[in-house]
Coordinates of all heavy atoms in Angstrom, one line a residue:
W52 N -11.2 16.1 64.9 CA -11.7 17.4 64.3 C -10.6 18.0 63.4 O -11.0 18.8 62.5 CB -12.2 18.3 65.5 CG -12.2 19.8 65.1 CD1 -11.5 20.8 65.5 CD2 -13.1 20.3 64.1 NE1 -11.8 21.9 64.9 CE2 -12.9 21.7 64.1 CE3 -14.2 19.8 63.3 CZ2 -13.6 22.6 63.2 CZ3 -14.9 20.7 62.5 CH2 -14.6 22.0 62.5
E53 N -9.4 17.8 63.7 CA -8.4 18.5 62.9 C -8.4 18.2 61.5 O -8.2 19.0 60.6 CB -7.0 18.2 63.5 CG -6.6 16.8 63.4 CD -6.9 16.0 64.6 OE1 -7.7 16.4 65.4 OE2 -6.4 14.8 64.7
A54 N -8.9 17.0 61.2 CA -9.0 16.6 59.8 C -10.2 17.4 59.1 O -10.1 17.8 58.0 CB -9.3 15.1 59.6
V55 N -11.3 17.5 59.9 CA -12.5 18.2 59.3 C -12.1 19.7 59.1 O -12.4 20.4 58.2 CB -13.6 18.1 60.3 CG1 -14.9 18.8 59.7 CG2 -14.0 16.6 60.6
A56 N -11.3 20.3 60.1 CA -10.9 21.6 60.1 C -10.0 21.9 58.8 O -10.1 22.9 58.1 CB -10.1 22.0 61.3
A57 N -9.1 20.9 58.6 CA -8.2 21.1 57.4 C -9.1 21.1 56.2 O -8.8 21.9 55.2 CB -7.3 19.8 57.4
L58 N -10.1 20.3 56.0 CA -10.9 20.3 54.8 C -11.7 21.6 54.8 O -11.8 22.2 53.7 CB -11.9 19.1 54.9 CG -12.9 19.0 53.8 CD1 -12.3 18.9 52.4 CD2 -13.8 17.8 54.0
W59 N -12.4 22.0 55.8 CA -13.2 23.2 55.9 C -12.4 24.4 55.5 O -12.8 25.3 54.7 CB -13.8 23.3 57.2 CG -14.8 24.4 57.4 CD1 -16.1 24.4 57.0 CD2 -14.6 25.7 58.1 NE1 -16.8 25.6 57.3 CE2 -15.8 26.4 58.0 CE3 -13.5 26.3 58.7 CZ2 -16.0 27.7 58.5 CZ3 -13.7 27.6 59.2 CH2 -14.9 28.3 59.1
Q60 N -11.2 24.5 56.1 CA -10.3 25.7 55.8 C -9.7 25.6 54.3 O -9.7 26.6 53.6 CB -9.2 25.8 56.8 CG -9.6 26.1 58.2 CD -8.5 25.8 59.2 OE1 -7.4 25.6 58.9 NE2 -8.9 25.9 60.5
G61 N -9.4 24.4 53.9 CA -8.9 24.2 52.6 C -9.9 24.6 51.4 O -9.4 25.2 50.5
L62 N -11.1 24.2 51.6 CA -12.1 24.6 50.7 C -12.1 26.1 50.5 O -12.3 26.6 49.3 CB -13.5 24.1 51.1 CG -13.7 22.5 50.9 CD1 -15.0 22.2 51.7 CD2 -13.9 22.2 49.5
Q63 N -12.1 26.8 51.6 CA -12.1 28.3 51.5 C -10.8 28.9 51.1 O -10.7 29.8 50.2 CB -12.6 28.8 52.8 CG -14.0 28.3 53.2 CD -14.4 28.7 54.6 OE1 -14.8 29.8 54.9 NE2 -14.2 27.8 55.6
N64 N -9.7 28.6 51.8 CA -8.4 29.3 51.6 C -7.7 28.8 50.4 O -7.0 29.7 49.7 CB -7.6 29.0 52.8 CG -8.2 29.6 54.1 OD1 -9.1 30.4 54.1 ND2 -7.8 29.0 55.3
E65 N -7.7 27.6 50.0 CA -7.0 27.1 48.9 C -7.8 27.1 47.6 O -7.4 27.5 46.5 CB -6.4 25.7 49.1 CG -5.3 25.7 50.2 CD -4.6 24.4 50.2 OE1 -4.4 23.8 49.2 OE2 -4.3 23.9 51.4

Side-chain angles (χ1 to χ4, degrees):
W52 162 246
E53 63 272 13
V55 185
L58 175 62
W59 187 76
Q60 294 167 8
L62 286 166
Q63 299 172 79
N64 298 339
E65 292 191 38

